[in-house]
Amino acid sequence: MAEFAIALPAITVVLLFAAGALGACAQQVRLQDAAADAARLAGRGESDARVSSAVADVGAAAAVDRHGDIVCVTASSPSPMSLGSISLGALDATSCALAGGR
């Protein structure tokens, strides 16, 4: 019975971390998809507000960088994994598209 009392909290902590890591991976995939959509929008010449709204749908902020014929969008959001008031960093995804690619 004592072994069970010690093992149960450890198993619970491991399961909570695994669930948090799975959530972070899912958020990273959503961020990458949103950044790719936003980069295509920016490449077509859409307004920065429209580009930002494509990324805001997943709860992220967008930064648009234009370098000649290439437009890159970086989407950033806080990590869904946190320990109380301690955040475990931010998630970022960057995607680029050819500007003027109509």
Side-chain angles (χ1 to χ4, degrees):
M1 186 60 83
E3 293 84 8
F4 182 73
I6 292 173
L8 187 61
I11 291 171
T12 303
V13 168
V14 168
L15 289 176
L16 288 175
F17 276 120
L22 186 61
C25 290
Q27 179 66 12
Q28 183 67 37
V29 170
R30 286 191 296 270
L31 275 178
Q32 189 62 51
D33 286 343
D37 291 343
R40 285 190 293 271
L41 287 171
R44 286 194 323 225
E46 297 285 338
S47 68
D48 284 348
R50 174 69 178 106
V51 171
S52 294
S53 71
V55 175
D57 290 342
V58 294
V64 180
D65 294 321
R66 291 178 171 82
H67 303 285
D69 288 342
I70 302 292
V71 178
C72 295
V73 175
T74 301
S76 302
S77 75
S79 174
M81 271 186 79
S82 63
L83 298 170
S85 63
I86 301 170
S87 177
L88 298 179
L91 298 175
D92 297 322
T94 301
S95 185
C96 299
L98 185 61
R102 296 176 193 257

